[in-house]
Amino acid sequence: GRVRAPTHIVSTICDDRGEEPTYAGVPMSTIIEKGYGVGDVISLLWFKRSLPSYCTKFIEMCIMLCADHGPCVSGAHNTIVTSRAGKDLVSCLVSGLLTIGPRFGGAIDDAARYFKEAYDKGLSPDAFVESMKKRGIRVPGIGHRIKSRDNRDKRVELLQKYARTHFPSVRYMEYAVTVENYTLSKAANLVLNVDGCIGSLFLDLLASCSLFTQQEIDEIVDIGYLNGLFVLARSIGLIGHTFDQKRLKQPLYRHPWEDVLYTKAVKMRIEYAGDL
Ligand code: ACO
Ligand code: LMR
């Protein structure tokens, strides 16, 4: 009989061997004929299934609302400096993307992980926050440099409003709000930020749309799909900043001396403090 040679690559999301490529089995012509949007394409290529339109609309809202947040944030700053150094589009884009991480834009997966663990264990918000403090971990999805109790993040409000209207359940997000109420009692800038809002709402989306098994949900959270939403979204803005700087013919950036505190290195005196 014929023996199939072992392959070096296994791939399950896209097949381009036929007359037209398929995304998770859906031909491209169907995607166009049915008027699918970017949210549908993300559903097929990331989650390997079609999701209901309230979910794909939510995904698209995340992408649109996180596309940019001005020139002063870490990602845009790096991209602007790189563009002004005369670099190409891809270099400008990746230098901005490389700032996305636990403090900036990349806290969505950890927010989902910690909120899920705490909610599923039935931890009260104060017990959760205090246990994180004991472990020396800042609560992912909480806190913002400029947003606060009196200067709420519009993106969070818009996503919450949409989900409260269209999702069958928003229990993880409401739990995150109880966490926010507790952290706000400590400091005014410890709001539920956009990462925490998306992380908790995505848990609600996965848990309540009845299309994912518990094992699949755990896998999505473990692997960490959700930071992908911010990476994808912010790429739109970072590309925009690259073009903006080039259009404006901005010169090489050099940070002003006046904005740097130059100090002499402090010599550490290590004192002998008893028996070795
Ligand atoms: N959990 C618990 N305590 C916190 C948190 C948090 N998430 N954030 C701040 N604090 C407390 C800490 O006590 C901190 O003191 P420490 O430095 O001794 O630990 C104190 O507030 C100081 O806070 P700020 O100076 O206001 O913090 P900063 O403005 O530097 O931090 C940041 C803002 C980075 C967003 C922070 O709140 C944080 O790390 N949050 C968790 C990560 C996160 O969600 N990032 C995504 C932000 S949204 C986005 O980027 C799109
Ligand atoms: C962002 O989306 O870039 C922000 O929330 C971060 C910031 O400091 O504004």
Side-chain angles (χ1 to χ4, degrees), residues 95-230:
S95 88
L97 288 178
L98 287 172
T99 63
I100 297 177
R103 293 181 183 167
F104 166 67
I108 309 179
D109 284 310
D110 273 345
R113 287 183 190 120
Y114 283 108
F115 286 141
K116 183 172 188 309
E117 187 187 75
Y119 177 86
D120 292 352
K121 274 190 188 159
L123 271 188
S124 68
D126 43 329
F128 167 55
V129 173
E130 295 307 326
S131 75
M132 294 290 278
K133 195 173 171 188
K134 268 196 204 117
R135 291 155 80 185
I137 306 170
R138 286 182 168 201
V139 182
I142 294 286
H144 200 274
R145 290 307 286 259
I146 59 166
K147 295 293 165 192
S148 66
R149 187 175 22 229
D150 305 318
N151 172 28
R152 290 305 181 118
D153 191 329
K154 199 71 192 165
R155 299 168 295 183
V156 171
E157 290 180 346
L158 289 167
L159 291 169
Q160 287 176 322
K161 186 169 178 223
Y162 177 82
R164 285 189 177 119
T165 314
H166 298 282
F167 282 23
S169 158
V170 286
R171 60 182 197 271
Y172 285 108
M173 186 271 281
E174 295 298 4
Y175 178 72
V177 170
T178 64
V179 172
E180 174 188 48
N181 289 337
Y182 182 71
T183 53
L184 279 178
S185 71
K186 292 174 169 265
N189 74 326
L190 295 184
V191 288
L192 178 65
N193 61 42
V194 73
D195 282 11
C197 179
I198 294 176
S200 57
L201 279 175
F202 228 93
L203 290 175
D204 286 318
L205 183 154
L206 295 168
S208 66
C209 75
S210 338
L211 289 167
F212 296 89
T213 64
Q214 192 52 53
Q215 198 187 343
E216 284 174 328
I217 295 174
D218 291 343
E219 188 180 50
I220 288 165
V221 174
D222 283 353
I223 290 177
Y225 284 31
L226 306 181
N227 286 344
L229 291 166
F230 192 91

